[in-house]
Amino acid sequence: MPRVYMDANATTPLLPEVMEAMRPYWMEHFGNASSIHQHGQQAHAAVGRARETMARFFNCHDAEVVFNSGGTEGDNTAIFGLLHPGDHFITTSIEHSAILQAANRMARFGVETTFVAPQPSGLIDPVDIRRAIRPETRLISVMLANNETGVIQPIEEIGKIANETGIFFHIDAVQGAGKIEFDVRRFGCHLLSISAHKMHGPKGIGAMFIRRGTPIEPLLVGGSHERRQRAGTENVPGIVGLAKAAELAMHSLDDGTIYRLATMRDRLEAAILEIPGTGVNGAAVPNMLGAPDLNFETGESQPVPRAANTSNIWFDQLEGEALVIALDMKGVSVSGGSACHSGATEPSHVLMAMGLDKTRARASLRFSLLKTVTDADIDHVLRVVPEAVEHLRALSPVVAGTLG
Ligand SMILES: Cc1ncc(COP(=O)(O)O)c(C=O)c1O
């Protein structure tokens, strides 16, 4: 039986080139990048080259790149490193738990947070961010692409608001990396976090862009690594792997790979939507109230930009978890929500914030495609999904007759 992996937003495999780039740094070039002998200098030079690559990836200066352990650390660093008692923090109710839980912890230290809700499409309206600003607001954090729906947020507009009002702006760009071209100057952010394992790099390594002059306290203190912004012996193979993955991601954005990925996702989505009682979460489709999301200025419905690889679909009269298991048994790996929440019975906080009721949120599945996806993969998934849905619906305890 073929196995098809469609859970790229949870994690991705290393590309062979990434593995090859990392290989020497585990054994021959194992030195500590802080040592002054040859072994250390080889490691130091590799970290320097990786920093240059990441600076191109972010479009920033080398000195503005800080290597760390991944997205959770970057998100925590932005919040714990910038906020003080009495400050106000603005974020959204659809962020990853690395932001939400950090905000909750800061409440104990006298930092109040406003969680801005999305529109039914999954988009955050920059006007709502502006409305939430208070004199004591010090930080705004908004994700680039949502991990569950793929919806891309209007971060440039939010960046403009932050810069006009003198507020620091952090972007959790973990799910945008490799799918959207980065330019931290255009984004207008002071801080941005990414993670290697979401873009075919190794797990446990990531990087932050920290705009020069941003008064951020390091999360980890100790040695003088990373210009005293992140203590701890550098994970040299990880850093080399992250940079290789970033280099390949830049090529993929230029050579049509990401466009092809969007076409494949659209083919998959269109065919699944032919199954009765289905719909997309986070797209320019009628919202929960039966009306398309409106642009309040023009009165027209708006297309919602989405990451090229993600499709989040609801299936009436189904439990998402049951469908995940049924598809797994037929060789397809998908997710019922963010990986961190799979296994939990609570419906997705992202879908609930978008206004789905609990039943529909629980009946939703995320297909997130690797950029290496093939037509044969899509064909396999399209063979098994309709059968699995039909089979489960026949067994469904949910009252029949509600399919539109
Ligand atoms: C949007 C977002 N932010 C942060 C993270 C956490 O990243 P990491 O797994 O590198 O800690 C994830 C991982 O799922 C994510 O999707």
Side-chain angles (χ1 to χ4, degrees):
M1 180 172 64
R3 267 225 81 90
V4 179
Y5 181 79
M6 285 204 178
D7 202 10
N9 291 6
T11 197
T12 58
L14 291 197
L15 289 172
E17 298 92 322
V18 174
M19 185 67 203
E20 284 315 309
M22 292 171 69
R23 196 184 295 277
Y25 294 94
W26 295 112
M27 298 187 75
E28 300 114 85
H29 307 321
F30 62 88
N32 184 323
S34 302
S35 304
I36 55 171
H37 47 60
Q38 280 292 316
H39 280 97
Q41 288 315 297
Q42 271 169 345
H44 183 77
V47 172
R49 284 192 299 274
R51 198 182 304 285
E52 284 168 20
T53 304
M54 295 314 299
R56 271 195 292 123
F57 186 74
F58 291 141
N59 188 29
C60 68
H61 298 290
D62 294 7
E64 294 174 312
V65 175
V66 176
F67 293 112
N68 63 16
S69 68
T72 300
E73 184 179 330
D75 289 351
N76 279 208
T77 301
I79 293 172
F80 300 146
L82 263 182
L83 293 168
H84 306 118
D87 287 339
H88 174 236
F89 172 44
I90 300 174
T91 188
T92 80
S93 51
I94 55 169
E95 298 296 310
H96 189 267
S97 46
I99 293 284
L100 299 176
Q101 294 305 325
N104 288 344
R105 177 183 280 192
M106 289 310 283
R108 283 197 256 139
F109 301 100
V111 173
E112 209 184 308
T113 302
T114 302
F115 298 94
V116 172
Q119 297 170 355
S121 62
L123 270 177
I124 298 294
D125 188 341
V127 171
D128 291 334
I129 299 282
R130 192 187 282 280
R131 276 200 201 110
I133 294 174
R134 303 181 192 165
E136 63 277 18
T137 307
R138 182 164 165 86
L139 176 67
I140 298 172
S141 184
V142 177
M143 68 202 324
L144 176 53
N146 184 266
N147 42 315
E148 297 192 31
T149 61
V151 171
I152 298 171
Q153 302 301 338
I155 46 156
E156 285 179 44
E157 285 177 57
I158 297 169
K160 282 195 192 108
I161 295 171
N163 285 284
E164 267 167 42
T165 47
I167 297 170
F168 295 110
F169 180 34
H170 169 251
I171 299 174
D172 173 344
V174 169
Q175 293 291 347
K179 302 168 194 164
I180 299 160
E181 203 176 311
F182 279 15
D183 181 347
V184 291
R185 306 283 168 220
R186 187 162 47 81
F187 292 172
C189 58
H190 301 81
L191 303 154
L192 179 142
S193 306
I194 62 158
S195 178
H197 76 100
K198 308 286 186 179
M199 56 168 183
H200 298 277
K203 293 171 181 60
I205 185 82
M208 273 188 108
F209 156 71
I210 302 184
R211 197 196 284 185
R212 216 181 266 168
T214 307
I216 187 156
E217 285 283 321
L219 199 62
L220 300 180
V221 292
S224 57
H225 314 88
E226 297 297 294
R227 293 188 168 80
R228 298 197 177 277
Q229 297 193 89
R230 202 276 184 177
T233 300
E234 290 89 348
N235 171 357
V236 180
I239 290 171
V240 169
L242 164 64
K244 190 69 194 179
E247 195 183 302
L248 296 170
M250 288 188 274
H251 286 307
S252 295
L253 284 162
D254 281 347
D255 71 5
T257 303
I258 299 302
Y259 177 77
R260 174 188 153 275
L261 177 59
T263 313
M264 307 275 268
R265 185 272 315 271
D266 290 348
R267 175 161 91 85
L268 175 81
E269 186 172 280
I272 294 179
L273 291 178
E274 283 176 18
I275 303 171
T278 55
V280 177
N281 297 313
V285 292
N287 63 27
M288 296 315 119
L289 306 170
D293 259 331
L294 290 183
N295 174 330
F296 296 106
E297 279 166 27
T298 63
E300 287 165 0
S301 67
Q302 291 286 295
V304 176
R306 269 189 304 165
N309 77 324
T310 310
S311 181
N312 192 310
I313 299 182
W314 51 262
F315 296 84
D316 268 349
Q317 292 192 333
L318 273 191
E319 274 290 336
E321 294 273 317
L323 188 52
V324 169
I325 294 164
L327 292 180
D328 190 35
M329 279 158 47
K330 291 185 181 289
V332 177
S333 299
V334 293
S335 161
S338 61
C340 323
H341 296 120
S342 59
T345 48
E346 276 306 294
S348 145
H349 72 281
V350 173
L351 300 181
M352 297 287 288
M354 286 162 60
L356 272 75
D357 63 35
K358 277 192 178 183
T359 310
R360 186 160 279 181
R362 280 212 186 89
S364 295
L365 230 60
R366 176 183 73 186
F367 296 83
S368 53
L369 284 57
L370 295 170
K371 67 179 174 182
T372 50
V373 67
T374 63
D375 274 312
D377 293 336
I378 305 273
D379 291 340
H380 179 68
V381 174
L382 290 177
R383 260 192 309 277
V384 304
V385 170
E387 295 171 8
V389 170
E390 196 178 332
H391 178 70
L392 287 173
R393 279 183 177 159
L395 305 172
S396 170
V398 182
V399 184
T402 56
L403 295 185

